[in-house]
Amino acid sequence: MDRALKRRLESRFEPVLRGPIRQRHDQTEIRIGPGDVSEVLRTLHDEPEFDFKVLADLAGVDTGREMQAVYHLWSATTSDWLRVIAEGLPREDPRVPSVTFLWPGAEWMERETYDMFGIIFEGNRDLRRIYMPPDYTSFPLRKDFYLPDDSARSPGAGVRHVERTHSPAGAPADVRREVRS
Amino acid sequence: MTTETPPRRFPVGTHPSADDPRILVHDDYEAFEPVPPYPPRTEREAEFYTLGEGELLLNVGPQHPSTHGVLRVVLKLEGERVVDIDPVLGYLHRGVEKLCENADYHQTISQVDPLEYISSLFCEWTPVLAYEKLLDVEVPRRAEYIRVLSAELNRIASHALFMGWFALDLGGLTPILYSFIERDEIVEMLAALTGQRMLFNYFRIGGVNGDLNHEFMSRLGDWMSRATTQIEANIGLLNENEILVRRAAGMGVMDAETALRWCMTGPNLRATGVPYDIRRAHPYSVYPELEFDIPTKTEGDSLARYLLRAEEIKQSLRIIDQCLERMPDGPIMAKLPRLLRPRPGRAWAAIEGPRGLYGVYAISDGTDQPFRLKIHDPSFLHLGAVGMLLPGNLLADTMAIMASLDPVMGGVDK
């Protein structure tokens, strides 16, 4: 855990941060809104005090309530991985700015995330499906996409069934489970 | 189940190339017309499939020996020069991430195994490392050393195979036979340790599946006594080959800034002069205790990428020597319940594989299955950069460039 990085991030991104900065093991996590993505990542990449030159990963997440775009960054200035979570993307129309202006290599990662989650990366020049056939209409990694066969079962399935009967009444009906983290 | 095919964008005889008397067009083929039978979805796609003066589209794959798996590439050519390329993926897509989200934590290890089938131990290591962060497990030191030992052996096997493959793609048949001697010996060795030749399924959450045994150790000792000379000989076979050197030098040149912007990692990034190796840049396991160098080159061309891998083999041999010397006694598994239910949380783990950064982003929601498992594979990004490297080169050199990036389609397509 790099406390100095936490202080630097706090002083720099105070107005755009959503919630406190979390640190666990070798990871530092900040949460921002989708509108701030290009500005925050540009600052992290260009400013010498951050100098995050390596975009290690771009992942989409469907929490059941909302979509998230998650970026993992590496810099020589810190011993931590930095995780930037763009949260609060509505499930009906998730949109987030593209980071291909900083990392052209992110183009394929954004295509993959679009293919699997339907998240639209505004500014990506080539946002089309990459794995699934072009006439495919749904997004396989969304939580309301069920697997029909036996691979959906596991030794713990019975345990979870009991849990679900105790879940709160207001939980959305169309999602299987929700993340509580 | 309907068997109707979508209407063809270019019915027989109306393809743009058909007007050109210099080009022979088979009108009766059905399988892989380069132009897709549907309207373009993005501006970039429209631009790519619009032919300029003197250009033609050539379909390579999906079954082509030099595409290293099931990959289809549409090349836009002007004469013999490549103008642009459009790789078409998905022929090997299995939806591993979805399968992992519907399997429990132990089962996911065997699901991710066949991703990079050349170096499966690295595919297993990343999720195992991420789950250990989620569970706050301390892995016994002997298990860590066994992991490093077996993974470095696997790295040598992967790099040795790459060197033969690279020569094969440039038209030389002999080197791959020699590299399979090394690979086969290592694979047999690992089979003695893990029980499998290819998809090892050896790492477990909190340790490894089995302890070092007599057959593995005797095979390893036997091989180590002659490995250095044999690998030197194999490298000499290629490095001093003028045809290979001339064909690979100056091909697909990249500078450090471009490589970072295109998210390159591993040997392909180090060949441009950036000493970025996760084993040193963000240490994991017992790598901080081991002595090894990070070789770099500054040319950034195909030859540099090839020579760098040869250097890495020597460094891996050093690491194996140190592992054998320092191998501690003790247990090989941490004490863990059979049904794992980590506390809700998020974890990211990254390791240095033979091709670059392997990463796993795992989210737990408190149940026995990962809520989200994102697998990051370097081959995917390296293949994405081929579109930037190829234009301007000759058709015959496309394979010299693509092979030097060493993509494995199992990892690209997930």
Side-chain angles (χ1 to χ4, degrees), chain A residues 76-154:
Chain A
T77 60
T78 169
S79 58
D80 273 14
W81 290 101
L82 178 65
R83 179 185 307 136
V84 180
I85 302 183
E87 63 171 16
L89 282 59
R91 293 188 84 242
E92 302 75 38
D93 184 26
R95 279 171 191 277
V96 70
S98 166
V99 293
T100 46
F101 70 97
L102 285 173
W103 291 283
E107 182 182 310
W108 275 28
M109 292 196 267
E110 289 177 354
R111 278 180 70 183
E112 186 201 347
T113 311
Y114 164 73
D115 194 0
M116 294 292 137
F117 290 93
I119 297 176
I120 309 242
F121 290 87
E122 289 167 328
N124 186 320
R125 62 170 187 153
D126 198 19
L127 198 66
R128 54 187 158 128
R129 288 189 176 275
I130 192 163
Y131 290 144
M132 308 307 285
D135 53 350
Y136 201 74
T137 50
S138 59
F139 300 106
L141 281 179
R142 287 194 176 201
K143 286 294 168 192
D144 47 9
F145 184 102
Y146 298 101
L147 290 186
D149 58 18
D150 283 350
S151 63
R153 288 195 206 127
S154 88

Side-chain angles (χ1 to χ4, degrees), chain B residues 137-289:
Chain B
V137 183
E138 178 91 11
V139 182
R141 282 179 57 76
R142 185 175 173 84
E144 290 282 23
Y145 270 97
I146 295 176
R147 280 182 184 182
V148 172
L149 172 64
S150 52
E152 292 299 332
L153 277 172
N154 205 344
R155 190 191 307 274
I156 295 175
S158 169
H159 280 343
L161 196 59
F162 158 79
M163 296 171 73
W165 244 343
F166 183 54
L168 189 67
D169 282 346
L170 295 178
L173 180 64
T174 315
I176 197 161
L177 303 174
Y178 280 90
S179 35
F180 261 104
I181 296 176
E182 294 311 315
R183 180 168 167 88
D184 202 58
E185 186 52 44
I186 294 175
V187 155
E188 285 291 340
M189 209 186 290
L190 288 174
L193 180 65
T194 68
Q196 289 285 335
R197 279 173 57 94
M198 195 165 162
L199 309 175
F200 304 108
N201 197 4
Y202 179 54
F203 291 178
R204 293 286 183 270
I205 303 161
V208 291
N209 190 21
D211 208 342
L212 301 177
N213 55 35
H214 177 72
E215 192 190 344
F216 172 75
M217 291 308 281
S218 71
R219 272 180 181 273
L220 179 63
D222 208 23
W223 178 75
M224 284 294 279
S225 62
R226 60 181 166 79
T228 316
T229 43
Q230 187 144 352
I231 284 169
E232 285 285 352
N234 289 0
I235 292 170
L237 182 72
L238 277 173
N239 286 9
E240 290 158 26
N241 186 320
E242 196 180 341
I243 302 172
L244 181 123
V245 171
R246 283 200 179 190
R247 277 204 67 186
M251 284 295 146
V253 184
M254 234 183 335
D255 59 22
E257 175 70 13
T258 318
L260 282 170
R261 295 265 183 184
W262 280 86
C263 301
M264 308 286 265
T265 46
N268 298 340
L269 177 61
R270 291 196 285 278
T272 65
V274 185
Y276 180 70
D277 186 318
I278 317 278
R279 290 176 291 178
R280 283 281 185 255
H282 196 108
Y284 55 93
S285 194
V286 289
Y287 280 112
E289 302 169 17

Side-chain angles (χ1 to χ4, degrees), chain B residues 92-162:
Chain B
L92 261 176
H93 182 60
R94 291 145 289 173
V96 170
E97 290 177 9
K98 189 75 177 175
L99 292 173
C100 288
E101 285 163 23
N102 288 285
D104 78 15
Y105 283 98
H106 295 296
Q107 289 169 336
T108 55
I109 299 169
S110 53
Q111 294 280 12
V112 299
D113 231 355
L115 281 173
E116 293 247 336
Y117 39 79
I118 310 293
S119 51
S120 338
L121 282 178
F122 294 92
C123 298
E124 295 166 19
W125 203 347
T126 20
V128 162
L129 211 59
Y131 299 158
E132 282 158 5
K133 283 181 186 174
L134 280 177
L135 288 155
D136 288 314
V137 183
E138 178 91 11
V139 182
R141 282 179 57 76
R142 185 175 173 84
E144 290 282 23
Y145 270 97
I146 295 176
R147 280 182 184 182
V148 172
L149 172 64
S150 52
E152 292 299 332
L153 277 172
N154 205 344
R155 190 191 307 274
I156 295 175
S158 169
H159 280 343
L161 196 59
F162 158 79

Side-chain angles (χ1 to χ4, degrees), chain A residues 2 10 49 56 71 73 100 113 120 138 142 150 175 180:
Chain A
D2 188 351
E10 266 167 356
E49 64 164 326
Y71 305 82
L73 307 172
T100 46
T113 311
I120 309 242
S138 59
R142 287 194 176 201
D150 283 350
V175 292
R180 294 196 293 265

